[in-house]
Amino acid sequence: MARASGARAQLALAFETTYGTTPASGFVRMPFTSCGLGAEQPLIESDLLGLGRDPAAPIRDAVTVDGDIGIPVDVEAIGYWLKALFGDPVTSGTGPYTHEFRSGAWSLPSMSIEVGMPEVPRFAMYGGCVADRLQLRMERAGNLAATVSLVARGETTAASSQAGTPAAIALQRFGHFHGSITRNGASLGNVVVAEIEYANNLDRIETIRADGRIDGADPSVAALTGTIDVRFADTTLVDQAVAGGACELEFAWALPSGESLTITAHSVFLPRPRLAIEGPRGVQASFAWQGARDDALGRMCTVTLVNNVSAY
């Protein structure tokens, strides 16, 4: 008897023309490191009295379909997740192509995502998937990975794939070694760890329906937040925090072959940190920064992806 194995799991994605309607074609096979996307339906325990000490049967509660997917930050596939988070990019160039994803879109695309375990077999199709947030951690070494959080409309399962033959992606990963951070165009040194999170803060439309599904997931006020842990060597960031002004932070990764990914937070505010001396080792300061809309540009952040994909 075959047993499910993560090594054989498959994930395919396609953007929907109509929310919640799975397209007949256009699926792309996506690389991933983990997948927690799924449907959950808890039970409500009986509150009835007068039937003795043994409880009556529970009833089923509403169905929730959501979860996190761990993804590599790579040259091609990351563009599909960025489109889900920000909407269609502004693309320029003739190869390599520059895709500029901008925050602030009022409407976000929905996706159908199939998670397959062929050895069981079980293929779960999640329709109406909307991207809620992206989390990314920047360090000195190791594989660069991110987590995408999704809200879906519903789940259907089958014994065979409904995604046809997904298109393949040429995998080429960015690594922490390729990363850099700048502040107002100048290199920001002494950074030990940086974390970035962009959130659409989706509002689930939970109407009363016979099938228990949601009617949609609308974006509300977005948020761009993160932390920067630095070895305390100068007062540049502390001085900004005390003054209360904003700066531009840019997190970038570039490969020698020319592909690159740049996350630019145009207006970043820093809190005043506590500088604690906890022993004989170096003193570190942690800044939990927040991004805001830049009035001149009319947006909070821009993500620029340079690769050989002509369109997303």
Side-chain angles (χ1 to χ4, degrees):
M1 178 180 176
R3 294 177 175 84
S5 168
R8 294 189 61 187
Q10 305 169 3
L11 191 149
L13 174 155
F15 287 99
E16 300 172 345
T17 302
T18 303
Y19 173 76
T21 301
T22 298
S25 60
F27 281 86
V28 178
R29 185 166 183 173
M30 303 294 288
F32 67 104
T33 59
S34 63
C35 181
L37 181 62
E40 183 178 34
Q41 186 174 27
L43 296 174
I44 303 175
E45 65 181 33
S46 174
D47 59 354
L48 299 177
L49 302 176
L51 301 177
R53 291 187 59 232
D54 295 332
I59 62 173
R60 294 184 295 174
D61 203 354
V63 179
T64 301
V65 188
D66 57 17
D68 297 341
I69 298 179
I71 60 171
V73 179
D74 70 323
V75 170
E76 292 189 14
I78 191 65
Y80 292 92
W81 299 114
L82 292 174
K83 178 178 177 178
L85 281 159
F86 296 99
D88 292 326
V90 177
T91 300
S92 59
T94 56
Y97 301 91
T98 299
H99 310 281
E100 191 176 273
F101 300 88
R102 301 173 178 177
S103 64
W106 286 104
S107 179
L108 299 177
S110 63
M111 305 167 287
S112 287
I113 297 177
E114 184 181 72
V115 180
M117 290 176 275
E119 66 275 22
V120 175
R122 183 183 189 269
F123 293 84
M125 181 68 74
Y126 301 95
C129 293
V130 183
D132 188 19
R133 65 186 64 236
L134 174 74
Q135 297 170 305
L136 187 150
R137 181 179 173 91
M138 195 174 187
E139 299 176 297
R140 180 176 180 271
N143 286 323
L144 178 62
T147 301
V148 177
S149 300
L150 302 167
V151 173
R153 188 181 195 187
E155 175 193 71
T156 58
T157 60
S160 60
S161 174
Q162 306 302 303
T165 303
I169 285 181
L171 184 60
Q172 188 178 14
R173 298 184 68 168
F174 293 105
H176 288 298
F177 175 75
H178 305 116
S180 63
I181 303 176
T182 61
R183 176 186 177 273
N184 292 336
S187 177
L188 183 61
N190 300 302
V191 179
V192 179
V193 174
E195 294 183 348
I196 310 163
E197 178 176 312
Y198 178 82
N200 283 313
N201 291 318
L202 296 178
D203 180 22
R204 302 175 194 238
I205 312 303
E206 298 179 324
T207 57
I208 300 173
R209 296 169 54 105
D211 58 8
R213 297 182 174 185
I214 61 173
D215 269 343
D218 296 340
S220 60
V221 176
L224 179 63
T225 59
T227 59
I228 299 176
D229 294 347
V230 299
R231 280 295 182 103
F232 190 58
D234 60 63
T235 63
T236 301
L237 296 179
V238 174
D239 289 345
Q240 177 189 330
V242 172
C247 71
E248 181 179 87
L249 290 181
E250 184 177 278
F251 308 87
W253 299 265
L255 297 179
S257 51
E259 296 84 359
S260 65
L261 173 67
T262 305
I263 302 174
T264 305
H266 298 293
S267 183
V268 170
F269 292 84
L270 304 174
R272 185 170 180 169
R274 182 189 302 272
L275 299 174
I277 301 173
E278 299 179 349
R281 306 182 72 175
V283 177
Q284 290 191 186
S286 181
F287 297 86
W289 57 269
Q290 296 182 30
R293 180 180 183 272
D294 182 273
D295 291 333
L297 293 173
R299 59 182 179 274
M300 179 168 57
C301 71
T302 303
V303 182
T304 305
L305 177 63
V306 178
N307 59 22
N308 290 315
V309 178
S310 60
Y312 282 100

